[in-house]
Amino acid sequence: MNDTFSEDKAPPALSVVIVAYNSGATLGRCVAALAAQTYADFELLIVDNASPQREAGPAAQALPGARVIEAGDNLGFAGGVNLGARAARGRWLVLLNPDAYPDPDWLEQLVTASRRHPKVASFTSRQVMAQDRSVLDGLGDVMSAPAIPYRGGYLSPDPGDSPEGEVFSPCGAAMMVDRALFLRLGGLDEDFFCYCEDVDFGYRLQLVGEPTLLVPAAVVAHEGSASSGGPKSEFAVFHGTRNRFWVLVKNTPLLLLPVILPLHLLAFAVVSLRPQNRPLLEVTWRGFKAALAGLGPIWTSRRRTQAQRRASALQIARSMTWDPKDLSGRRAVIRPLRPSRRGAP
């Protein structure tokens, strides 16, 4: 860790955690954007996931007091975030990808939203494409009826400051969550390693009755998959295929499984056999086989997850989208904010 940190300092309001791995091309710009924030009551923790580029230390120097946490190995995004969350001291945990560049008022907008909605524990950002800010990278995450999650509005024109509203789950690229709640729910599932771990966490929020609020005024420009070779890389396809199935098995209420599981398998087959996806059919099938092979630990996680559930199967079904056009068009699904089951802090 950096020597500038002192336990005697008062805890900050926010703890921003960035997981660094092969992110030398983007991390410096990301930290510079944090250094320019209008809201200053935060600490920065950069988790070095044994990156061969060793980019965390030089990048941290751009923000006085930033801490570098050496993971010692590549723990994946999930393990890196959990390591940072345990070392964090803020009331709020803020996750930011190393290839996401927040606008100067990003943290201020998230904090302001938390004050407007004191019973909400989870917030997500409006993400635009770093290459073209007129195009959306996502308005929170959506869960479709076949248990195929996607970023709402991905590659659609950015509508600007649309009204706030509830989405299925926060996107881990730029989110804020009550740290105590995050830790109480077990953090991100480290079995996932990378991809869909944020959707899994968001699903668990749904199961315990905690809504996620989209804050359109909190904006980040996101490159996406910059350290993993892009969304069509073998790494991304393998982990995405495997982890989507695990999200379904782990979180879907029993009453919904007979409906959701066949829809998932059908959608999986249709998407995998599309002409543009056929070159990756072998790695897709390998990811699905890995999902089946790893069901033992996931089923154990399911028992723990379902034991915490407070939302009914009907409530979970209503939080998803059942319109096939939403999935095919990656349309954003933003609903009026429902009351949280959590008491005001």
Side-chain angles (χ1 to χ4, degrees):
M1 293 188 182
N2 287 356
D3 294 334
T4 53
F5 172 67
S6 171
E7 290 286 356
D8 296 331
K9 293 181 180 179
L14 313 179
S15 295
V16 180
V17 173
I18 299 174
V19 178
Y21 184 81
N22 280 345
S23 50
T26 62
L27 182 60
R29 180 180 170 186
C30 175
V31 175
L34 283 173
Q37 290 295 298
T38 57
Y39 184 88
D41 189 14
F42 71 94
E43 64 175 350
L44 171 61
L45 299 90
I46 303 177
V47 178
D48 182 356
N49 250 358
S51 175
Q53 298 180 1
R54 308 302 297 169
E55 67 272 24
Q61 295 176 9
L63 186 62
R67 288 189 276 163
V68 175
I69 301 175
E70 302 287 350
D73 198 1
N74 185 2
L75 307 180
F77 181 74
V81 165
N82 290 346
L83 182 61
R86 291 191 294 269
R89 301 185 304 141
R91 183 261 165 117
W92 293 99
L93 178 67
V94 179
L95 306 188
L96 183 65
N97 273 12
D99 60 354
Y101 316 121
D103 283 4
D105 64 344
W106 175 59
L107 290 177
E108 183 178 352
Q109 293 291 348
L110 289 174
V111 170
T112 300
S114 73
R115 291 170 180 164
R116 284 197 304 272
H117 304 280
K119 293 186 178 182
V120 176
S122 174
F123 300 84
T124 196
S125 309
R126 177 169 124 239
Q127 297 172 200
V128 296
M129 300 296 290
Q131 302 87 340
D132 182 354
R133 291 178 62 102
S134 69
V135 178
L136 277 176
D137 180 68
L139 296 172
D141 287 342
V142 181
M143 179 59 74
S144 65
I148 305 290
Y150 64 92
R151 287 204 297 276
Y154 181 67
L155 296 183
S156 298
D158 177 24
D161 290 340
S162 55
E164 293 178 343
E166 184 176 341
V167 294
F168 184 85
S169 68
C171 176
M175 61 176 277
M176 183 174 83
V177 63
D178 183 283
R179 187 169 67 91
L181 175 63
F182 179 86
L183 295 173
R184 188 163 68 249
L185 292 180
L188 301 184
D189 190 330
E190 297 184 19
D191 286 335
F192 284 56
F193 190 76
C194 190
Y195 289 97
C196 292
E197 66 286 282
D198 52 352
V199 178
D200 169 71
F201 178 74
Y203 208 141
R204 284 182 279 140
L205 286 173
Q206 290 283 350
L207 291 172
V208 298
E210 293 286 356
T212 291
L213 183 72
L214 168 70
V215 185
V219 182
V220 300
H222 186 216
E223 292 195 22
S225 303
S227 63
S228 61
K232 289 296 185 180
S233 68
E234 289 195 8
F235 181 90
V237 171
F238 173 86
H239 286 85
T241 300
R242 184 192 68 176
N243 293 353
R244 283 192 296 268
F245 193 69
W246 283 355
V247 168
L248 183 163
V249 171
K250 177 180 173 181
N251 297 291
T252 307
L254 185 60
L255 287 176
L256 294 178
L257 270 177
V259 177
I260 302 294
L261 181 56
L263 288 176
H264 181 86
L265 296 176
L266 177 61
F268 170 73
V270 170
V271 172
S272 300
L273 293 175
R274 285 177 177 171
Q276 64 269 34
N277 294 329
R278 285 177 188 170
L280 292 165
L281 190 57
E282 186 277 331
V283 70
T284 302
W285 178 239
R286 185 154 42 88
F288 186 71
K289 288 192 294 183
L292 296 177
L295 280 181
I298 296 302
W299 198 259
T300 300
S301 297
R302 174 185 171 80
R303 288 197 292 267
R304 292 195 300 266
T305 298
Q306 297 301 319
Q308 295 178 310
R309 178 163 67 94
R310 288 185 288 172
S312 68
L314 180 59
Q315 288 170 324
I316 295 300
R318 286 174 173 170
S319 70
M320 306 166 74
T321 177
W322 295 80
D323 187 342
K325 293 181 180 178
D326 286 341
L327 175 58
S328 62
R330 294 182 175 180
R331 297 192 301 204
V333 178
I334 305 168
R335 298 185 170 101
L337 180 66
R338 63 192 161 97
S340 168
R341 295 175 182 243
R342 184 172 62 98

